[in-house]
Amino acid sequence: MTMRHHRCACALGLTLALAASLSALAGAPTSADAVHQAEGKAFAGSDEHLMYLESHWLYDDGGNPSRLVLYRCPDGKPFARKLMHDDGSAQAPDFQLDDARHGYREGVRSAGGKRTVFVRDNTAASERTAALAMSPTPVIDAGFDAYIRDHWDKLGMNGSDMVPFLIPSRLGTLNFSVKRMADTQVNGHNAREYRLSLASFIGFALPHIDVAYDARTRELLRFVGLANIRSDSGSNVRAKIVFDPAQDKNVSRADLDAAMKMPLDGRCHIP
């Protein structure tokens, strides 16, 4: 890939932190007080060294499925937090991501029946906003996971589907192609793999995103592509994020509350 194409891809600000909806079916809370926790490990796409960890909590917030994600340095200290709320459309939730290393913020908020996308590049920058059109329904952040589950039987290896995917850094959506790839094996699991790529004449030159799900339980096993965590230089990192559903567990509301309050004081180097 040329440097020009690399800059273009990072400028898209892809935000597929799919693990935020990790095990959304098999591990979803079954009562108002239940909290489900899962962990992911993000490795660099170049030499596969461990870049950061992801800790996820799935819970019920007043009847709305919600998720908290803490992004941690390898030493365990959090440096970013994402909150996500599904208040009606699983593939288009509200969310806010805050990265304390440089003050980057992005998300979607709802007020007065309207949706707004927002982004702030750093603590010194002003927040940029735009009204978000909801027809056709866009795919927002980890809502792509809900989209895959809803289209599990429809998506085949012959042809592809088109979806408007939100790119917060552009304050709007771009059309992406979703295609089922050949089945594979991931850590001993029979897996289905799907590919997300830009549906335009330059799409072939941009990095695609591949996600693999357990073929039986539909749990997310692996994500490979541009993540919504940025490098020290401000570009979205290319990562391989792996999950082990066998390590998922249920925790208490006290554990969730403690995670909500954890200071974002991690300052690890992410090249």
Side-chain angles (χ1 to χ4, degrees):
M1 180 190 305
T2 66
M3 184 59 68
R4 177 177 177 272
H5 289 150
H6 178 71
R7 287 197 298 267
C8 180
C10 290
L12 293 178
L14 292 176
T15 57
L16 271 181
L18 294 177
S21 51
L22 189 65
S23 306
L25 292 181
T30 56
S31 72
D33 293 326
V35 180
H36 187 75
Q37 185 180 2
E39 301 286 333
K41 296 181 179 180
F43 299 92
S46 54
D47 59 6
E48 296 205 356
H49 73 272
L50 180 63
M51 292 190 293
Y52 58 90
L53 307 169
E54 299 183 357
S55 299
H56 308 266
W57 290 262
L58 282 73
Y59 61 100
D60 179 276
D61 184 13
N64 296 324
S66 301
R67 298 149 185 135
L68 164 68
V69 185
L70 283 182
Y71 299 88
R72 304 171 181 264
C73 295
D75 65 5
K77 290 186 177 181
F79 63 85
R81 176 183 287 112
K82 180 163 66 174
L83 289 170
M84 183 170 294
H85 298 276
D86 169 12
D87 58 359
S89 176
Q91 77 174 44
D94 282 357
F95 81 98
Q96 178 168 314
L97 168 70
D98 287 283
D99 190 330
R101 292 173 302 151
H102 31 62
Y104 181 79
R105 174 179 294 163
E106 68 177 27
V108 173
R109 63 174 70 103
S110 298
K114 298 181 179 180
R115 309 288 299 277
T116 300
V117 55
F118 59 90
V119 64
R120 186 185 71 180
D121 294 324
N122 53 62
T123 51
S126 298
E127 183 179 89
R128 296 181 285 119
T129 65
L132 179 63
M134 292 301 294
S135 181
T137 304
V139 173
I140 298 177
D141 200 79
F144 183 68
D145 185 79
Y147 169 85
I148 288 290
R149 296 176 190 280
D150 288 344
H151 294 76
W152 187 263
D153 294 322
K154 176 184 176 182
L155 290 169
M157 287 180 281
N158 296 320
S160 60
D161 202 7
M162 300 293 176
V163 296
F165 194 89
L166 177 67
I167 310 298
S169 62
R170 296 175 60 95
L171 298 179
T173 62
L174 288 175
N175 287 329
F176 279 76
S177 168
V178 184
K179 182 177 181 179
R180 181 180 169 186
M181 308 301 287
D183 291 349
T184 186
Q185 285 272 321
V186 178
N187 296 330
H189 297 260
N190 293 324
R192 277 195 188 185
E193 189 162 39
Y194 298 90
R195 175 164 293 176
L196 181 75
S197 55
L198 191 62
S200 76
F201 71 96
I202 63 169
F204 73 93
L206 300 179
H208 51 260
I209 289 173
D210 292 334
V211 288
Y213 290 80
D214 187 291
R216 181 178 61 85
T217 65
R218 304 188 186 184
E219 293 173 306
L220 182 63
L221 301 173
R222 183 178 66 199
F223 165 98
V224 180
L226 291 180
N228 63 347
I229 292 301
R230 298 194 167 200
S231 67
D232 298 341
S233 63
S235 299
N236 294 80
V237 299
R238 184 164 180 81
K240 180 176 76 171
I241 309 175
V242 295
F243 314 98
D244 182 1
Q247 301 300 315
D248 294 2
K249 59 184 179 181
N250 293 323
V251 298
S252 69
R253 279 275 170 168
D255 293 323
L256 173 65
D257 292 341
M260 289 279 194
K261 299 174 183 176
M262 290 189 71
L264 302 180
D265 55 2
R267 293 297 180 265
C268 41
H269 177 60
I270 301 181

